[in-house]
């Protein structure tokens, strides 16, 4: 998952001068999630100097289901509890985006 995160952030950095309405996350042409284009641009701008753990754990808060509803919550409270929930959301994002479908292909 971390490798996919790094690739995503590097792609956002490479495309930072481009403008997108949204960036869709799909697996084998099955659209799962999207992020707004302005956030994708912000990721590309922040990646070179921002803490990578911060980028990873806050990413799911900005992910939307294909119907436009928020895919994950924004957590508040104590740092350890918030961090734990954010990382659970991060893992769930990857599972739904590609891991579950990829695992089915391997069976």
């Amino acid at each position: 998952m971390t490798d996919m995160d790094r690739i995503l952030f590097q792609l956002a950095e490479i495309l930072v001068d481009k403008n997108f309405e949204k960036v869709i996350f799909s697996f084998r042409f099955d659209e799962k999630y999207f992020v707004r284009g302005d956030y994708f641009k912000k990721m590309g701008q922040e990646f070179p100097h921002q803490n990578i753990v911060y980028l990873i754990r806050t990413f799911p808060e900005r992910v939307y289901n294909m119907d436009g509803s928020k895919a994950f919550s924004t957590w508040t409270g104590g740092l350890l509890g918030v961090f734990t929930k954010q990382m659970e959301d991060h893992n769930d994002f990857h599972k739904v985006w590609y891991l579950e479908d990829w695992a089915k292909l391997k069976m």
Side-chain angles (χ1 to χ4, degrees):
M1 289 185 271
T2 304
D3 287 339
M4 291 297 283
D5 292 329
R6 187 180 69 252
I7 291 166
L8 172 62
F9 296 134
Q10 289 173 339
L11 180 62
E13 181 183 18
I14 290 167
L15 298 174
V16 74
D17 293 330
K18 305 288 184 195
N19 294 309
F20 300 98
E21 182 179 330
K22 60 183 168 182
V23 175
I24 297 173
F25 295 85
S26 65
F27 183 78
R28 299 183 71 101
F29 304 103
D30 184 12
E31 296 177 347
K32 308 287 181 124
Y33 297 117
F34 73 90
V35 294
R36 293 183 7 209
D38 58 338
Y39 176 66
F40 188 74
K41 180 180 282 291
K42 183 178 177 186
M43 283 180 5
Q45 293 167 338
E46 290 184 353
F47 177 64
H49 61 271
Q50 184 58 269
N51 180 308
I52 190 71
V53 175
Y54 174 81
L55 291 175
I56 288 170
R57 70 182 180 82
T58 59
F59 173 78
E61 298 173 6
R62 293 164 179 93
V63 174
Y64 294 86
N65 295 308
M66 293 310 297
D67 66 5
S69 63
K70 289 198 61 122
F72 302 98
S73 297
T74 300
W75 299 100
T76 60
L79 181 61
L80 185 57
V82 169
F83 182 83
T84 300
K85 291 297 189 184
Q86 288 173 324
M87 292 311 294
E88 287 173 3
D89 288 349
H90 168 265
N91 293 343
D92 289 345
F93 166 78
H94 284 276
K95 286 176 190 172
V96 172
W97 174 22
Y98 62 91
L99 283 174
E100 291 173 339
D101 291 337
W102 179 77
K104 291 175 191 171
L105 294 174
K106 295 294 184 181
M107 295 182 158

